[in-house]
Amino acid sequence: MAMSLGRMTVNKTGSWRNLRPVIDKEKCNKCGICWKFCPDVSIEIDSEDYPVVILDFCKGCGICAVECPKDAIGMVKEA
Ligand code: SF4
Ligand code: SF4
């Protein structure tokens, strides 16, 4: 069994997800709070300082959306 405090680098967990976070760059102020709070280390910061969700590892827990102070993350149903 893979043991890790952060992202499950051995087992991709993205297939468990029912909801996926979608970031609205128009609303995002690049504060990095979503990056800080993601329990699975599934958010990275791009070269322009915007957060990017790594969907292979995101479980769709929605914590990033709850913690975002700008309401810039929506949780949408997986197809
Ligand atoms: S918490 Fe919200 S405003 Fe802050 S970087 Fe993440 S998406 Fe942008
Ligand atoms: S939904 Fe959960 S696992 Fe996915 S990026 Fe947001 S906080 Fe991380």
Side-chain angles (χ1 to χ4, degrees):
M1 180 178 163
M3 296 291 286
S4 170
L5 292 177
R7 178 191 292 169
M8 296 281 282
T9 51
V10 177
N11 300 318
K12 290 184 177 179
T13 53
S15 60
W16 301 353
R17 192 179 54 240
N18 293 319
L19 297 171
R20 74 164 62 195
V22 176
I23 297 169
D24 182 346
K25 283 188 174 181
E26 300 278 312
K27 293 183 180 174
C28 175
N29 69 359
K30 308 179 182 179
C31 68
I33 288 175
C34 54
W35 170 81
K36 203 178 206 177
F37 275 85
C38 175
D40 212 35
V41 200
S42 299
I43 294 178
E44 293 181 355
I45 303 298
D46 74 10
S47 58
E48 294 180 316
D49 293 334
Y50 283 108
V52 179
V53 177
I54 309 303
L55 289 170
D56 276 349
F57 301 105
C58 167
K59 296 196 195 78
C61 67
I63 289 174
C64 54
V66 170
E67 296 296 337
C68 174
K70 302 298 285 183
D71 200 21
I73 305 178
M75 298 301 293
V76 302
K77 226 174 179 309
E78 289 287 3

